Structure formats: structure tokens, C-alpha cells
């Protein structure tokens, strides 16, 4: 499935992290896929409210939790800069799909990073 929302399709997810050699591109690529898959799920399932959106973003956040070990194995980690960038991309996704009133902490509530 391709992304239909042009604003999302044009987004360079995790862009700031790709510019920093501390974060391995191979792991960032997996994070980018998680975000794109989240967008595909939002387009397919069309959450009717924030509760439904939070369920989708929570599942994607748990996928990021699993990436932490890969970051660490590569001598990196999801630290302050990465946390902020990932959270900002989650909020961007919510906003792009009409949920600008989403609480950023609720979007990534199950995070372990």
C-alpha cells in the first residue's frame, strides 16, 4: 500500500537522526518503516477518535521499543535527541491525519526510551 496523504508521503522521517553518524542508518531505516507502516494503518483503519489513534501509535511505539537493542548493539541508543525526533514524527503523523489535538505523550505512552 502506498501512502495517499501527500503531506506524509513528502516527509523525511527521522531526518535529524540520519544527519548524525551516532545513529546507524540501518536501524533508522527500520524506524522509518515503522512510521510508514503506522501511516498505512491509519489510512486503512481510519481511526474515528483519539482513543483509536492512540492504540495504533502505541503499537508502533512498542516496535520502537524493540529497536532499542539494535541501537545499543550498534553503539548507539535512543537518547534525548532521538526521543525528541521520534516523538515529533509521531505528532506530525497524528496532525497530518487530522489529530492535531493529540497529546504527544499519549501517542508514545508505552515507550521505554
Amino acid at each position: 500500500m502506498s501512502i495517499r496523504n501527500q503531506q506524509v508521503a513528502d516527509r523525511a522521517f527521522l531526518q535529524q537522526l540520519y544527519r548524525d553518524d551516532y545513529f546507524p542508518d540501518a536501524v533508522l531505516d527500520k524506524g522509518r518503516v515503522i512510521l510508514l507502516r503506522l501511516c498505512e494503518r491509519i489510512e486503512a483503519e481510519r481511526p474515528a477518535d483519539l482513543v483509536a489513534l492512540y492504540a495504533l501509535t502505541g503499537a508502533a511505539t512498542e516496535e520502537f521499543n524493540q529497536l532499542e537493542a539494535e541501537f545499543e548493539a550498534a553503539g548507539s541508543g535512543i537518547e534525548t535527541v532521538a526521543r525528541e525526533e521520534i516523538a515529533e514524527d509521531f505528532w506530525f503523523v497524528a496532525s497530518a491525519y487530522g489529530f492535531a489535538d493529540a497529546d504527544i505523550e499519549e501517542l508514545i505512552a508505552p515507550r521505554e526510551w
Side-chain angles (χ1 to χ4, degrees):
M1 174 180 175
S2 64
I3 303 296
R4 292 184 303 257
N5 181 312
Q6 195 59 48
Q7 186 180 12
V8 171
D10 292 343
R11 177 75 170 197
F13 288 112
L14 307 176
Q15 184 175 14
Q16 182 179 349
L17 303 183
Y18 276 106
R19 288 191 226 132
D20 188 334
D21 290 339
Y22 176 72
F23 303 103
D25 286 356
V27 182
L28 292 175
D29 290 346
K30 291 178 181 184
R32 183 177 170 277
V33 167
I34 291 168
L35 290 164
L36 290 171
R37 193 168 42 243
L38 169 62
C39 295
E40 289 173 347
R41 286 193 68 194
I42 291 171
E43 290 186 7
E45 297 179 27
R46 299 178 183 248
D49 56 23
L50 284 173
V51 172
L53 177 69
Y54 292 151
L56 296 177
T57 61
T61 299
E62 290 178 10
E63 290 184 66
F64 267 99
N65 289 343
Q66 294 174 12
L67 279 186
E68 177 67 17
E70 291 187 49
F71 275 107
E72 289 176 359
S76 183
I78 300 178
E79 42 69 68
T80 304
V81 171
R83 280 192 298 269
E84 291 176 7
E85 181 79 359
I86 294 165
E88 183 178 313
D89 278 342
F90 270 87
W91 187 84
F92 168 82
V93 168
S95 180
Y97 286 104
F99 294 97
D101 56 338
D103 180 292
I104 197 164
E105 291 300 323
E106 286 296 320
L107 290 170
I108 56 172
R111 73 183 165 112
E112 297 172 358
W113 26 272

